[in-house]
Amino acid sequence: MRKSPNLHDVAREAGVSAMTVSRFLNGSAPVGSYARQQITRAIENLKYRPNQIAKSLQTRKTGNIAVLLGNISSPMSALTIKGIENVSFGNRYNLLIGNTEFSEEKERRYLDILMQKQIDGMILAPSSKDREPLQEIIDRGIPLLFLDRHVPGVQADYVGFDFENDSYNVTEHLIDRGCRTISVICRRADLINDSPQVKGFHRALERASIPWDRQRILYCHPSTEDAYRCMGEIMESGTRPDAVYIASNTLASGVLRYCKDKNILIPEDCMLACFDSLGEFDDLIRPNLTCNEVPAFDLGVYVAELLMRRIHDGYERPDGPQRITLPGKLLIRESTGDAGGPRTGSETGARRQTVRVSGEAVTG
Amino acid sequence: MRKSPNLHDVAREAGVSAMTVSRFLNGSAPVGSYARQQITRAIENLKYRPNQIAKSLQTRKTGNIAVLLGNISSPMSALTIKGIENVSFGNRYNLLIGNTEFSEEKERRYLDILMQKQIDGMILAPSSKDREPLQEIIDRGIPLLFLDRHVPGVQADYVGFDFENDSYNVTEHLIDRGCRTISVICRRADLINDSPQVKGFHRALERASIPWDRQRILYCHPSTEDAYRCMGEIMESGTRPDAVYIASNTLASGVLRYCKDKNILIPEDCMLACFDSLGEFDDLIRPNLTCNEVPAFDLGVYVAELLMRRIHDGYERPDGPQRITLPGKLLIRESTGDAGGPRTGSETGARRQTVRVSGEAVTG
DNA sequence: CTGTTAGCGCCTTCAG
DNA sequence: CTGAAGGCGCTAACAG
């Protein structure tokens, strides 16, 4: 394993200068046909590969973009990453992926390292409210996009799900089915922003003139065990609700397990609805519950496309910072039988295509 | 947004030479306490960040490792990636992730790009049998590890699940439950290697002196729809089997959907078993089927640790190329009721800790 | 403990 | 169409 060949080696082998080889490789200027042949041959002979590092040092572009999420293995995140990868690869960018584990410290360390690695852009689901490192990214002219969450006071685009409206729709569905006393289980304190799910929930109640009771909102640690506990609290104390709305899908398995253990029939004893889809086996899970399907892959595609545009436009943002939300799709399933039920429930799919944009219009 | 400061700017501001600053930053040589103070101050003043690209050009180390998988959003892959990230971050490496979509062409392009980007190591689940680009990686001294699949003839370590033994265990379980006629649905032609699942299946049948019939093995495209079709073929033609073994978990939802549509009772009409776990909601899916849980996160941890060792040892491989498989855990669940069943089935968890290694022993 | 010199491999600029 | 000079930001190797 000896030193790999460089531009000069190729140039010597081809009997031309290094610059001619460079121009040939990048197509940055015309090259004579004889030289072209010699160079092609030399490259093959030496198995030459351009060194992207050296090129980056010169051009200040690495062709890498960073993606920093709280939990890269959640089904939602995994799909979003796939969407981002898809668009990035098509635009000749590679992905540097980091899992912050929702830790401010780990996020900070990642931001630090990535700044040194000279990324061309960054997609971040922030776990910290700290503006300073983000401002530094922006000041260095690196396009920064928030995904799913944002940091108040930082002038960057945001792309996320339409939590509030989706939550409104789920709640409205429960109300339409006759529920009047609805409990909510949601994640303990949304990491950064106020819980828009709870807002949507309230809005739906208000619209139906149903008084709401703070006691009916339970905050829960993001674990199966704590969701199990919360569901117990709901069902064992005070008046039982008509319905329980699980505002964070990571909590669903704990709730379902409780119902299974306690022989609570869904939807006879209590209706159940879930903010996000439970995945591929969705309608095979018993009890079979109504949920909102969130466009995770599309979110990745959208955010990556916006990032590509920002990188391309030299960060001038002719259209100003944007706040974009993608609406989900309500999947209504209320069959209770074990087999023979409808394969998919009715869907309010029409809104699927809508993209909600606040601020200026989306260009392109 | 003007040019960011470099080592010389810091050196000038601190009144020392660039080398002193460099030595201070890397701790590569002692630096006087006065100089130290001046440098610290200068760095703060200028908001200096070392440029990793320039450093990489010099040191020929980027601190990046590549991970190339067929489908990065599958639950298994997502967990494996998380495991890899965990170990890498601890060792100060970043992850460049690529989704090959099982396409030879896309894989080839990724390999090409990544070679130019000068990665320090690579974890690959190959989709192509082409040895040449892989040999080039090895020849350039970049540690290469196969994950889940391998390319025959390429001298690189391999880490994967214990498909054959796990499959043996699942089949043995069905036999123990009295099944004698078992059909198998598996992915159409394993991408690269012979299907070890089918081998394990055969071995279990042979051990129980059950004759086996090629007709009972159905190859299926990796889609819900085709799995549905396959299950139909099995149930509607010839003698119905006692059991169906789904050797690729991506096919499970199609099979389950078929049973649901046709009112086939599991396990009364036909037993069902699955090669891999169905995820978090595993035991909430109806019908509730026995499956093998594969240690996806651990696989990531293991492969990353091995890679770290290879990088560290300068690719001398004192212990020779290895072939390591991590065994899964059989989750037996045969309750049929909708609620009140046992929360988890019995598990043959003892083997969980075992790591099967062929070739030399694992060091460290 | 500190500074100088000479590249790492490529591309920008300018001169043919 | 082609080449030579210089530098991107950093560090190895050698002097002090």
Side-chain angles (χ1 to χ4, degrees):
Chain A
M1 157 201 163
R2 59 186 202 298
K3 186 178 148 311
S4 21
N6 64 20
L7 217 50
H8 284 89
D9 298 326
V10 176
R12 197 180 321 116
E13 174 90 6
V16 296
S17 85
M19 267 322 292
T20 306
V21 181
S22 172
R23 289 197 260 254
F24 169 76
L25 287 170
N26 299 317
S28 47
V31 170
S33 68
Y34 177 70
R36 231 181 346 233
Q37 277 178 32
Q38 293 301 306
I39 293 169
T40 312
R41 196 182 44 72
I43 287 175
E44 298 250 315
N45 281 355
L46 302 174
K47 288 176 185 289
Y48 168 75
R49 304 255 158 196
N51 181 331
Q52 174 65 41
I53 296 294
K55 185 184 289 199
S56 295
L57 182 59
Q58 179 72 281
T59 62
R60 296 156 170 285
K61 301 241 153 300
T62 55
N64 291 335
I65 65 184
V67 180
L68 246 44
L69 306 179
N71 177 12
I72 53 173
S73 71
S74 83
M76 239 171 54
S77 295
L79 277 172
T80 302
I81 292 172
K82 196 194 212 168
I84 296 173
E85 192 273 349
N86 220 272
V87 173
S88 302
F89 185 78
N91 287 272
R92 320 189 125 265
Y93 282 94
N94 288 111
L95 251 43
L96 274 166
I97 292 198
N99 193 45
T100 64
E101 300 174 43
F102 301 103
S103 145
E104 304 198 9
E105 167 64 10
K106 196 172 173 191
E107 174 173 309
R108 214 189 44 65
R109 288 183 58 192
Y110 254 122
L111 290 175
D112 200 64
I113 294 168
L114 291 170
M115 285 318 287
Q116 307 186 182
K117 293 212 168 164
Q118 314 289 94
I119 50 176
D120 293 350
M122 167 127 144
I123 294 170
L124 172 69
S127 296
S128 158
K129 293 194 272 294
D130 191 4
R131 267 179 290 184
E132 202 233 291
L134 304 182
Q135 197 53 52
E136 190 188 327
I137 294 176
I138 294 173
D139 291 345
R140 291 190 182 232
I142 298 170
L144 168 68
L145 266 68
F146 287 129
L147 185 72
D148 199 42
R149 300 185 288 273
H150 70 100
V151 175
V154 174
Q155 289 285 316
D157 303 293
Y158 163 88
V159 181
F161 299 124
D162 198 351
F163 291 121
E164 190 183 329
N165 271 290
D166 287 359
S167 198
Y168 177 91
N169 291 333
V170 172
T171 310
E172 187 180 56
H173 165 78
L174 291 173
I175 294 172
D176 286 350
R177 288 297 176 281
C179 301
R180 286 298 172 270
T181 316
I182 306 175
S183 290
V184 180
I185 301 181
C186 60
R187 240 188 2 201
R188 179 176 301 285
D190 219 286
L191 241 27
I192 295 192
N193 311 130
D194 292 336
S195 169
Q197 274 117 322
V198 172
K199 268 190 223 155
F201 171 70
H202 284 161
R203 193 151 57 78
L205 291 187
E206 271 165 13
R207 182 160 178 273
S209 306
I210 300 176
W212 53 272
D213 180 359
R214 276 209 175 282
Q215 309 274 353
R216 294 239 164 257
I217 299 180
L218 270 83
Y219 291 92
C220 178
H221 286 289
S223 73
T224 297
E225 291 71 26
D226 205 46
Y228 190 98
R229 186 193 58 71
C230 281
M231 189 61 181
E233 210 163 284
I234 288 173
M235 300 310 280
E236 287 158 25
S237 65
T239 53
R240 278 198 178 189
D242 306 322
V244 174
Y245 166 34
I246 310 163
S248 167
N249 68 316
T250 57
L251 307 175
S253 69
V255 171
L256 290 175
R257 212 150 261 145
Y258 178 88
C259 295
K260 183 179 166 187
D261 285 358
K262 305 294 179 183
N263 277 313
I264 292 172
L265 293 181
I266 309 296
E268 290 82 354
D269 296 344
C270 178
M271 285 194 75
L272 226 50
C274 197
F275 176 72
D276 185 22
S277 162
L278 271 23
E280 189 191 358
F281 296 94
D282 221 6
D283 58 327
L284 294 167
I285 292 171
R286 289 288 172 284
N288 190 326
L289 40 97
T290 288
C291 59
N292 176 63
E293 191 177 64
V294 125
F297 182 85
D298 296 350
L299 186 74
V301 168
Y302 200 97
V303 76
E305 282 175 346
L306 183 53
L307 182 61
M308 294 301 118
R309 223 181 310 147
R310 293 305 187 208
I311 291 176
H312 190 78
D313 294 355
Y315 211 54
E316 294 305 312
R317 267 202 314 231
D319 43 3
Q322 302 195 0
R323 193 181 186 292
I324 293 153
T325 53
L326 306 184
K329 187 167 80 168
L330 196 62
L331 303 177
I332 300 172
R333 283 192 234 89
E334 287 167 349
S335 70
T336 176
D338 229 31
R343 173 156 166 195
T344 49
S346 55
E347 301 170 356
T348 61
R351 284 194 322 285
R352 188 66 188 278
Q353 309 306 328
T354 319
V355 172
R356 218 173 283 272
V357 178
S358 67
E360 316 294 323
V362 188
T363 61
Chain B
M1 160 199 163
R2 58 185 203 299
K3 185 179 148 313
S4 23
N6 64 21
L7 216 52
H8 284 89
D9 299 327
V10 175
R12 196 179 324 116
E13 174 91 7
V16 296
S17 84
M19 267 321 290
T20 307
V21 181
S22 171
R23 291 196 259 253
F24 168 77
L25 286 169
N26 300 315
S28 47
V31 170
S33 67
Y34 177 70
R36 221 164 17 218
Q37 276 178 33
Q38 294 301 307
I39 293 170
T40 313
R41 197 182 43 73
I43 287 175
E44 299 249 315
N45 281 356
L46 302 174
K47 288 178 186 292
Y48 168 75
R49 302 256 160 195
N51 181 330
Q52 174 66 41
I53 296 293
K55 185 185 288 200
S56 294
L57 182 58
Q58 178 71 280
T59 61
R60 294 153 171 287
K61 300 236 150 303
T62 56
N64 291 335
I65 65 185
V67 180
L68 246 44
L69 307 180
N71 177 13
I72 54 174
S73 71
S74 84
M76 237 171 57
S77 295
L79 277 172
T80 303
I81 292 172
K82 195 193 212 170
I84 296 173
E85 193 274 349
N86 219 273
V87 172
S88 301
F89 185 78
N91 287 273
R92 321 190 124 263
Y93 282 94
N94 287 111
L95 253 42
L96 274 166
I97 293 197
N99 193 45
T100 64
E101 299 173 44
F102 300 103
S103 144
E104 302 198 10
E105 167 62 10
K106 196 171 174 192
E107 175 174 308
R108 215 189 43 66
R109 288 183 57 192
Y110 254 122
L111 291 175
D112 199 64
I113 295 169
L114 291 169
M115 285 318 287
Q116 307 186 184
K117 293 212 168 165
Q118 314 289 95
I119 52 177
D120 292 351
M122 166 127 144
I123 294 171
L124 171 70
S127 297
S128 157
K129 294 195 272 297
D130 190 4
R131 267 179 290 184
E132 201 233 294
L134 304 182
Q135 196 54 51
E136 189 187 329
I137 294 176
I138 294 173
D139 290 346
R140 290 189 184 232
I142 297 170
L144 168 69
L145 266 68
F146 288 129
L147 185 72
D148 199 40
R149 298 185 289 273
H150 71 99
V151 176
V154 175
Q155 289 285 316
D157 303 294
Y158 163 88
V159 181
F161 299 123
D162 199 350
F163 292 120
E164 189 182 330
N165 270 290
D166 287 359
S167 198
Y168 177 91
N169 291 332
V170 172
T171 310
E172 187 180 58
H173 165 77
L174 291 173
I175 295 172
D176 286 352
R177 287 298 176 282
C179 301
R180 287 297 172 271
T181 315
I182 306 175
S183 290
V184 181
I185 301 181
C186 60
R187 243 190 357 205
R188 180 176 298 285
D190 219 287
L191 241 28
I192 295 193
N193 310 130
D194 292 336
S195 171
Q197 274 117 320
V198 173
K199 268 191 223 155
F201 171 72
H202 284 161
R203 194 152 57 79
L205 290 188
E206 270 165 14
R207 183 161 178 273
S209 307
I210 300 176
W212 53 273
D213 180 359
R214 277 211 174 281
Q215 310 274 355
R216 293 238 165 257
I217 298 180
L218 270 82
Y219 291 93
C220 178
H221 286 291
S223 75
T224 298
E225 291 72 25
D226 205 47
Y228 189 98
R229 186 191 58 72
C230 282
M231 190 61 181
E233 209 163 286
I234 288 174
M235 301 310 280
E236 286 156 27
S237 64
T239 53
R240 279 199 176 188
D242 306 323
V244 174
Y245 165 35
I246 310 163
S248 168
N249 67 316
T250 57
L251 307 176
S253 68
V255 171
L256 291 175
R257 213 151 262 146
Y258 178 87
C259 295
K260 184 180 165 188
D261 286 356
K262 305 295 178 184
N263 276 314
I264 293 171
L265 293 180
I266 309 295
E268 290 81 354
D269 295 344
C270 176
M271 285 194 77
L272 226 49
C274 197
F275 177 72
D276 186 21
S277 162
L278 272 22
E280 190 190 357
F281 296 95
D282 221 6
D283 57 326
L284 294 167
I285 292 170
R286 289 287 172 284
N288 190 325
L289 40 98
T290 289
C291 60
N292 177 62
E293 191 177 66
V294 125
F297 181 85
D298 296 350
L299 186 73
V301 168
Y302 199 98
V303 75
E305 283 176 345
L306 183 53
L307 182 60
M308 294 301 119
R309 222 181 311 146
R310 292 304 187 211
I311 291 176
H312 191 78
D313 294 355
Y315 212 55
E316 293 306 311
R317 268 203 313 231
D319 43 5
Q322 302 194 1
R323 193 181 186 293
I324 293 154
T325 55
L326 306 184
K329 188 166 78 168
L330 195 63
L331 303 178
I332 299 173
R333 285 193 231 86
E334 287 165 350
S335 70
T336 178
D338 229 30
R343 174 158 166 191
T344 48
S346 54
E347 302 170 355
T348 61
R351 283 192 323 283
R352 188 66 188 276
Q353 309 305 327
T354 319
V355 172
R356 217 173 284 271
V357 177
S358 68
E360 316 294 321
V362 189
T363 61

